[in-house]
Amino acid sequence: MSRTSAPAPVEGADAVGSADNKVDSPLTHGLKQRHLSMIALGGVIGAGLFVGSGAGIAAAGPSIIVAYAISGLLVMLVMRMLGEMSAANPASGSFSVHAERAIGPWAGFTAGWAFWFLLCVAVGLEGIGAAKIMVGWFPDTPEWAWVALFMLVFCCTNLAAVKNFGEFEFWFAALKIGAITLFLSIGALAILGILPGSDTPSPGAENLTGIGGFMPNGSEGLIVGLLASVFAYGGLETVTIAAAESERPVAGVAKAVRTAMWRIAIFYIGSMAVIVTLVPWNDKAVVAKGPYVATLDHLGIPAAGQIMNVVVLVALLSAMNANVYGASRMACSLVSRRQGPKALGAVFGGVPRIAVLVSSVFGFACVLLSYWRPNDIFLWLLNMIGALILVVWIFIAVSQLLLRRRTEREAPEKLVVKMWFYPVLTWVALAGMAAVFVLMAREEGTRLQLYWSGGLTLFLAVVGFVLQKVRKPEAGAGDEVTPPVAVSAAKADADAADSGADAAGDAAGDGKAAGSPKDD
């Protein structure tokens, strides 16, 4: 990775963008700013929010609002730290590159391949979920055929230019944002008792405090809800990976991070508040149908189930598309740093097509395992990814803790985005992650996931450490480098850029002689 210089710290994404630089990479810069903005917005709204939040509500009751607020605060801190590092040094390997620069090659190897494995298994899970919805609409069709169709579509989408991925995510995100905004608007009107065409009176605080109180299952219920909410936030990291292929990576990251707080507050915490205010938390439909469908049914909205099925389908397909993209870019970045098979990093036309194919095939293999061995091998895979997102967040926090000092000393002008109250809040975030691990170890339902995820992380760390010892360090270690297949094209582009730079330099010199302002 070329350590791209960022502009001096100024307030406002527009000001940042005026001096933005592209990342020196064999990958293209086909993502427009509108793509990146929508990916940042839509990335917050995942299938976990629509599907997985029901179990958390059933366990925590109305206190699920507090659970999502606590986990949301932790995610905000993680995104701020990641944004600081990504704005200073944009890279398609994102936190893996930062971990390698801060801690060492073994850390970049561990974080990168753990995240790749997590995304590939998630692709399979999302494909299964989307296929089940389609089978519900078309009962005579086989589930595997829908999974194969979705995998083929998104594999082809990601094999083409990156702008195709950007367009898919742009419209997927627009649909998700529109749906959740409409839901929140309907919910707010219903809470006020002014929803047009509805005879349902305003519930007031009855559902919040009248059925066992705000914490009906005590602190244990809150803990279960907290654990469920933490893993619903997975996927926010993709925007920093995508930023490296955008027209203005620094401005894109800065804008995404600065708006993360209100997006999380509105979409996640706002949704939970609307649901538990309108629907009794112990209503069986909250888990059976999903909290969003249960809420719309409670309000008498026609065809609520089918409407939400469409929204959930879009969320699942969006996640599949984003995860294939993220997995392929992470694999390509790892190979460029000599931490994976060379063939996997081959870039054709600015796209790591071998990595896209391998990531897609691995995801489809997970689907086949869910049919053939659902009770052992597939369950084993699910347990292994259970706590991996927390492992990634820990690498992000430790990397930021170390790189912030180095950047302040060597290149303070790159700190376009700064972590709040450094280093205090970084340590607070690390303590929060440690607390989540302790809570996972306490709960029987998550203890096995913690052990399996820990085992995979330890295995990757050992492999990464051995590779670090047997390979001689190279100049610029920790930077992404151009894969061999792209060298000729990259060299030609560099030669052309040098020629253009010489001509521009002459013109600039003439301009300065005439009294033009000095460059900073």
Side-chain angles (χ1 to χ4, degrees):
M1 180 194 77
S2 175
R3 298 188 181 183
T4 307
S5 297
V10 289
E11 288 298 320
D14 291 337
V16 174
S18 64
D20 217 335
N21 296 307
K22 291 185 176 69
V23 180
D24 184 11
S25 167
L27 303 178
T28 60
H29 302 284
L31 291 178
K32 299 183 181 298
Q33 200 62 29
R34 67 181 179 89
H35 294 150
L36 201 62
S37 297
M38 199 60 80
I39 289 170
L41 286 168
V44 179
I45 310 170
L49 176 63
F50 294 113
V51 180
S53 53
I57 293 172
S63 66
I64 192 69
I65 302 171
V66 176
Y68 269 87
I70 293 172
S71 56
L73 178 60
L74 178 60
V75 173
M76 288 177 199
L77 296 178
V78 171
M79 281 302 295
R80 189 76 185 186
M81 289 183 277
L82 182 56
E84 177 184 292
M85 295 183 291
S86 297
N89 289 283
S92 60
S94 187
F95 51 83
S96 174
V97 173
H98 307 321
E100 180 168 344
R101 293 179 63 240
I103 308 169
W106 72 268
F109 179 94
T110 305
W113 284 117
F115 192 67
W116 179 86
F117 182 79
L118 168 65
L119 293 185
C120 289
V121 176
V123 166
L125 292 176
E126 288 142 3
I128 294 169
K132 289 184 183 299
I133 293 175
M134 297 304 296
V135 170
W137 290 338
F138 304 98
D140 296 329
T141 56
E143 191 172 303
W144 66 266
W146 288 110
V147 176
L149 175 63
F150 295 144
M151 293 299 300
L152 180 63
V153 168
F154 294 122
C155 181
C156 292
T157 299
N158 282 278
L159 285 173
V162 70
K163 66 180 181 180
N164 291 345
F165 160 76
E167 284 298 325
F168 265 88
E169 279 305 291
F170 179 87
W171 293 109
F172 278 151
L175 287 170
K176 289 190 292 183
I177 291 167
I180 198 108
T181 302
L182 180 61
F183 175 83
L184 291 171
S185 300
I186 292 172
L189 292 174
I191 290 172
L192 295 173
I194 57 174
L195 180 64
S198 175
D199 297 329
T200 305
S202 173
E206 180 182 351
N207 292 326
L208 294 175
T209 59
I211 311 172
F214 189 73
M215 294 177 60
N217 295 319
S219 59
E220 287 299 316
L222 178 61
I223 289 171
V224 174
L226 177 63
L227 293 176
S229 65
V230 165
F231 300 105
Y233 285 107
L236 288 170
E237 305 81 7
T238 304
V239 68
T240 60
I241 295 175
E245 292 185 76
S246 69
E247 295 173 328
R248 299 161 60 200
V250 177
V253 169
K255 185 176 181 180
V257 170
R258 285 171 179 154
T259 58
M261 183 175 294
W262 68 261
R263 286 185 277 122
I264 290 173
I266 292 175
F267 294 144
Y268 277 85
I269 304 171
S271 290
M272 293 302 105
V274 166
I275 291 167
V276 296
T277 300
L278 291 173
V279 182
W281 66 269
N282 57 355
D283 189 333
K284 293 182 179 179
V286 170
V287 176
K289 296 181 178 180
Y292 290 82
V293 174
T295 303
L296 295 177
D297 277 343
H298 180 76
L299 296 176
I301 305 296
Q306 294 306 322
I307 292 171
M308 287 311 302
N309 272 339
V310 172
V311 175
V312 173
L313 178 65
V314 168
L316 288 166
L317 296 180
S318 172
M320 286 183 71
N321 189 34
N323 287 346
V324 170
Y325 169 83
S328 63
R329 268 49 180 188
M330 183 59 72
C332 181
S333 172
L334 286 161
V335 172
S336 74
R337 290 176 277 134
R338 302 194 309 148
Q339 294 184 350
K342 288 184 178 180
L344 198 60
V347 176
F348 303 91
V351 178
R353 292 177 179 168
I354 303 300
V356 170
L357 287 171
V358 171
S359 300
S360 300
V361 169
F362 191 93
F364 191 69
C366 293
V367 175
L368 297 179
L369 287 173
S370 75
Y371 296 135
W372 295 337
R373 307 292 291 271
N375 296 321
D376 45 27
I377 297 179
F378 186 64
L379 182 61
W380 174 70
L381 288 175
L382 293 183
N383 284 329
M384 288 184 75
I385 68 171
L388 284 185
I389 194 64
L390 278 172
V391 171
V392 169
W393 290 355
I394 287 176
F395 275 113
I396 290 172
V398 174
S399 299
Q400 189 270 338
L401 200 62
L402 299 174
L403 288 179
R404 173 64 174 270
R405 295 173 183 171
R406 190 184 306 173
T407 307
E408 286 180 333
R409 183 174 64 251
E410 298 176 358
E413 72 279 1
K414 289 188 175 184
L415 290 172
V416 177
V417 178
K418 290 186 177 182
M419 177 61 180
W420 304 299
F421 300 106
Y422 170 84
V424 175
L425 287 185
T426 302
W427 283 110
V428 168
L430 281 168
M433 296 172 208
V436 173
F437 276 128
V438 172
L439 295 176
M440 288 187 72
R442 284 185 53 192
E443 296 296 323
E444 185 177 352
T446 55
R447 189 179 301 128
L448 191 61
Q449 293 180 8
L450 179 62
Y451 294 159
W452 279 109
S453 296
L456 176 62
T457 302
L458 180 61
F459 170 77
L460 290 173
V462 170
V463 173
F465 189 76
V466 171
L467 288 175
Q468 177 177 321
K469 288 297 183 182
V470 299
R471 289 179 176 173
K472 294 180 180 179
E474 293 183 348
D479 292 347
E480 291 180 348
V481 296
T482 305
V485 295
V487 167
S488 298
K491 186 178 185 302
D493 291 343
D495 292 340
D498 289 341
S499 299
D502 291 340
D506 293 339
D510 295 340
K512 288 185 180 180
S516 59
K518 181 181 179 182
D519 290 338
D520 290 328

